[in-house]
């Protein structure tokens, strides 16, 4: 009898540029990492902007990386900051392969976005599906932008009068 989250919820694999393949598995730990980074599982789904106007690659890296965490896979290195009131916020998670320290971001191929999206959506759906009550998977549709959005050549320039606010003010 299985109930709750299936901690061995395999849903797909991700092919890396070095010729290796990593299975995606969204364990309780992986889901907690995503919540720490995005605030909630719903926010994870909302983080992937399908309009092409916002971020897609960064959130996808975080989602794929969380699914690669586990024995023999990748280890999360969490970057967080603490505000003046003591509130901790996870600003980034870098995923490094345990065997050689390679950064997952360097091993993902932007040309394989569709395959990555299919793999993580299947794995996340399997991990979040409710057992025993007939409910369907939690993740039903993930859309990617038709273009990655603005780049350094298409983004508007910052005016020369722009001065960022120093941190800590």
């Amino acid at each position: 009898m299985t109930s709750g989250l299936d901690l061995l919820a395999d849903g797909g694999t991700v092919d890396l540029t070095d010729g290796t393949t990593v299975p995606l598995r969204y364990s309780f730990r992986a889901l907690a990492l995503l919540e720490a980074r995005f605030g909630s599982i719903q926010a994870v789904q909302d983080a992937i902007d399908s309009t092409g106007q916002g971020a897609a690659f960064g959130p996808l890296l975080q989602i794929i990386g969380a699914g690669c965490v586990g024995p023999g896979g990748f280890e999360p290195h969490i970057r967080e900051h603490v505000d003046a009131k003591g509130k901790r916020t996870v600003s980034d998670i870098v995923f490094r392969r345990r065997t050689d320290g390679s950064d997952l971001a360097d091993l993902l191929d932007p040309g394989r976005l569709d395959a990555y999206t299919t793999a993580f959506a299947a794995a996340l759906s399997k991990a979040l599906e409710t057992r025993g009550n007939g409910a369907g998977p939690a993740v039903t549709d993930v859309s990617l932008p038709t273009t990655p959005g603005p780049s350094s050549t298409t983004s508007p320039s910052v005016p020369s009068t722009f001065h960022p606010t120093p941190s800590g003010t």
Side-chain angles (χ1 to χ4, degrees):
M1 177 177 169
T2 305
S3 63
L5 293 175
D6 179 357
L7 297 183
L8 300 175
D10 296 316
T13 59
V14 172
D15 295 326
L16 303 178
T17 58
D18 66 355
T20 60
T21 299
V22 178
L24 293 179
R25 199 178 114 240
Y26 290 93
S27 66
F28 208 87
R29 178 181 182 197
L31 296 171
L33 282 169
L34 291 174
E35 281 186 341
R37 176 65 180 93
F38 294 101
S40 70
I41 295 300
Q42 181 61 48
V44 171
Q45 292 176 270
D46 295 343
I48 300 174
D49 175 30
S50 61
T51 66
Q53 300 299 311
F57 293 105
L60 280 173
L61 171 62
Q62 299 292 298
I63 294 166
I64 293 167
C68 293
V69 169
F74 286 76
E75 184 68 28
H77 296 266
I78 300 170
R79 293 180 186 162
E80 61 182 19
H81 68 273
V82 180
D83 67 16
K85 295 180 181 179
K87 180 183 176 195
R88 293 184 179 274
T89 304
V90 173
S91 58
D92 192 24
I93 303 173
V94 175
F95 298 91
R96 298 210 177 269
R97 189 165 31 203
R98 290 178 179 193
T99 57
D100 62 7
S102 295
D103 188 331
L104 179 63
D106 295 332
L107 297 171
L108 292 173
D109 181 353
R112 296 180 182 160
L113 284 180
D114 285 340
Y116 294 160
T117 302
T118 300
F120 96 73
L124 194 56
S125 289
K126 188 171 180 183
L128 295 175
E129 72 186 11
T130 303
R131 310 286 195 269
N133 68 1
V139 179
T140 56
D141 182 36
V142 177
S143 301
L144 286 176
T146 54
T147 67
S151 69
S152 60
T153 57
T154 63
S155 298
S157 298
V158 176
S160 60
T161 57
F162 175 76
H163 298 287
T165 305
S167 63
T169 60

